[in-house]
Amino acid sequence: MTARVHAFGGPDVIRYEQVPRPAPGPGEVLVRVAAAGFNPSDVGFRAGMMRDIVRLDLPFTLGSEAAGTVVQTGDGVERFAIGDHVVGRLDEGGAAAEYLTASAARLVRAPSRLPLAHAAAIPVAGLTAWQGLFEYSRIEPGTRILINGAGGGVGMFAVQLARHAGAHIIATAGPRSSDRVRGYGADQIIDYTRVPPHQVLDHPVDLVFNLVPTPPEAAEALCRAVRPGGSLVSITIPVKPPPGAGVTAAHFVARNDPAQLAELITLIDSGRVRVDITAARPLAELPAVHRDAEAGRTSGKTILVP
């Protein structure tokens, strides 16, 4: 079974189809999928809002990350063998299926300390957190960081990676996720459903990592939470600091980087970063997952099991 989209639109455009099992080409492997990860960006892919970022030819299979077992290798593949557990990001979709083919160079070995299906939660959110903190920011021991929207999948990794780097972490989270975020290592939790974060900070932070869509007035308030010389990094919408604020701002879309993914998995296998799955749902419920995401009913990380 494969979850495909033949036309852009609402969740009802998702179709389940039986397609022939794909065959790996040179340098590729065939993977039996243990789970696909769900990300908010999947809603954008389905609705056609990501066409300016990623080329998608209709019809296409949903899902940008998966974990599974290698069941066949193409010519020239030496790094994986049949039976190996692998995980990776799929830039052009294809994870929401029972089987997928992928370039062996784009995959890495799955963590040994996690159930294989849970590894599907790592690539997109993990790489986004890694690049936001270590490429677009200068985070070091003692850095005061505000992670805005820490209760989602990216926040799960961002809080733990910032903790691993020695930062002092202030996180915004709602009542559903505050205990989980505190468990990741946040020093202070701000309930964004009750008060804007800039109103309760005792003094400005060095860095804001913004993980949620932010209206202009809220974005300006986030900039006021940053000290002069500090920075704001956003993964959702570009945020422009007010003139004279002395704050640098960056907006980025995470790229696929198997080497970084392998480093993150090393941290997971060492026990320094954990992976929490808040929902494991059958792939047949994918339209309902999309509806829940659009209605704000999802929290943390959801995986989909074929």
Side-chain angles (χ1 to χ4, degrees):
M1 183 172 67
T2 299
R4 304 182 84 192
V5 170
H6 289 257
F8 299 116
D12 291 341
V13 303
I14 299 172
R15 299 183 188 176
Y16 293 100
E17 299 175 347
Q18 295 294 335
V19 298
R21 181 185 298 187
E28 293 183 336
V29 294
L30 175 66
V31 176
R32 183 174 66 246
V33 176
F38 174 79
N39 297 282
S41 58
D42 292 339
V43 173
F45 285 118
R46 184 214 73 220
M49 296 184 291
M50 306 293 286
R51 284 176 287 182
D52 293 337
I53 300 174
V54 178
R55 178 181 174 181
L56 295 173
D57 295 324
L58 294 169
F60 67 89
T61 301
L62 289 163
S64 299
E65 58 187 349
T69 303
V70 174
V71 295
Q72 186 179 349
T73 60
D75 292 341
V77 174
E78 297 180 354
R79 61 183 304 193
F80 297 121
I82 293 173
D84 284 347
H85 290 174
V86 295
V87 60
R89 172 173 158 173
L90 309 172
D91 291 327
E92 297 179 356
E98 293 179 276
Y99 292 89
L100 63 85
T101 56
S103 168
R106 294 287 188 176
L107 301 175
V108 301
R109 295 188 184 278
S112 59
R113 67 181 295 140
L114 290 182
L116 179 57
H118 289 198
I122 301 170
V124 173
L127 287 172
T128 301
W130 186 285
Q131 292 167 21
L133 292 175
F134 303 131
E135 290 188 3
Y136 291 88
S137 309
R138 297 183 62 182
I139 188 168
E140 56 190 21
T143 297
R144 280 174 53 84
I145 178 174
L146 170 63
I147 300 176
N148 189 41
V154 178
M156 169 174 63
F157 293 106
V159 173
Q160 294 182 85
L161 290 174
R163 168 60 62 196
H164 180 66
H168 178 89
I169 305 158
I170 304 163
T172 70
R176 290 183 300 175
S177 58
S178 59
D179 288 343
R180 183 160 32 87
V181 172
R182 187 175 290 105
Y184 296 147
D187 296 286
Q188 178 182 351
I189 304 290
I190 298 173
D191 183 353
Y192 70 88
T193 66
R194 299 181 59 187
V195 60
H198 71 279
Q199 293 184 5
V200 296
L201 291 175
D202 51 6
H203 56 277
V205 298
D206 303 304
L207 167 66
V208 168
F209 192 14
N210 179 50
L211 310 180
V212 295
T214 308
E217 62 276 10
E220 184 175 340
L222 285 176
C223 290
R224 294 199 299 271
V226 183
R227 64 166 176 81
S231 59
L232 187 150
V233 177
S234 177
I235 69 169
T236 52
I237 61 172
V239 177
K240 186 177 180 180
V247 175
T248 61
H251 170 257
F252 77 100
V253 176
R255 71 182 189 283
N256 200 348
D257 192 315
Q260 290 179 350
L261 181 59
E263 287 188 69
L264 177 56
I265 286 173
T266 297
L267 291 176
I268 292 168
D269 271 334
S270 71
R272 286 173 284 182
V273 173
R274 77 176 200 244
V275 179
D276 286 340
I277 304 300
T278 50
R281 299 175 66 171
L283 181 58
E285 293 182 7
L286 185 55
V289 173
H290 277 241
R291 292 187 190 96
D292 288 344
E294 290 178 311
R297 293 191 294 264
T298 57
S299 177
K301 189 67 182 186
T302 296
I303 59 172
L304 297 148
V305 181

